[in-house]
Amino acid sequence: AVVSTQSGHYGRGKQSKINKVYPGLTCFKKGVSRIPIESIPGIQESGWTPSSVKEEEHSNVNQKHFLHIWNRLKGHNSAWPFLEPVKIEIAPDYYQYIKYPSDLQTIGEKLTQGYYKTKKMFIADVNRIFNNCRMYNDPNTEYYKYAGNLQKFFISELKEAGLYDD
């Protein structure tokens, strides 16, 4: 395991400084199939904490909440502009301005694939819908207004599910 305490991340980009290199784990060659994460040399020095796993342990419960919230969003009267990807015929330059599009159909596909491992991932994708809308549309458009309405509803649904952090 390679550990960097300077970069603040592991697994993303180049690490600014490698402080220590640990030898690979040999216990698996001896028939061990599972070990506690915290027993991996260097894992805690890399910034890993048990709390980062707790959210994943709740992912099945979260998936049910995400699915419920997604269904509620789709049924909201302000959702119609966000139900599927923006069509080039309607907004020819949309993808020149919006590099990371999101919509409720795509989020539904990700939900069925089990993509969302944390609430932060789910919330970020849904909020991306609203942020993209506000970036592309003028504040006086109906789309901008619908984004605000649906985002308020989204926040209320997150609060009701106990998933909202102030």
Side-chain angles (χ1 to χ4, degrees), residues 1-18 42-43 45-48:
V2 176
V3 176
S4 170
T5 57
Q6 300 242 338
S7 70
H9 304 291
Y10 54 91
R12 286 191 196 168
K14 293 184 179 178
Q15 296 173 331
S16 59
K17 183 178 178 185
I18 296 174
I43 193 73
E45 292 157 285
S46 73
W48 177 89

Side-chain angles (χ1 to χ4, degrees), residues 23-129:
L25 298 173
T26 57
C27 60
F28 298 108
K29 291 180 183 177
K30 298 173 186 169
V32 174
S33 62
R34 295 183 80 178
I35 62 170
I37 293 173
E38 51 279 341
S39 71
I40 298 172
I43 193 73
Q44 291 176 332
E45 292 157 285
S46 73
W48 177 89
T49 61
S51 64
S52 63
V53 173
K54 285 181 184 172
E55 192 153 6
E56 271 190 53
E57 290 173 356
H58 299 296
S59 67
N60 286 339
V61 172
N62 283 345
Q63 290 294 324
K64 290 176 185 173
H65 287 304
F66 301 161
L67 191 58
H68 173 76
I69 291 169
W70 174 73
N71 277 309
R72 299 270 294 147
L73 288 173
K74 287 191 321 175
H76 193 275
N77 60 2
S78 293
W80 66 267
F82 315 112
L83 291 175
E84 52 189 39
V86 172
K87 291 179 176 60
I88 293 175
E89 303 81 46
I90 295 172
D93 61 348
Y94 183 80
Y95 295 100
Q96 293 170 10
Y97 292 98
I98 304 301
K99 300 300 177 196
Y100 302 101
S102 188
D103 60 88
L104 293 171
Q105 177 182 316
T106 303
I107 288 172
E109 291 166 1
K110 289 180 176 182
L111 277 168
T112 60
Q113 296 165 359
Y115 174 80
Y116 298 110
K117 302 297 182 200
T118 67
K119 69 180 180 179
K120 287 179 185 178
M121 291 173 69
F122 176 71
I123 292 169
D125 256 9
V126 174
N127 279 327
R128 181 171 287 123
I129 295 171

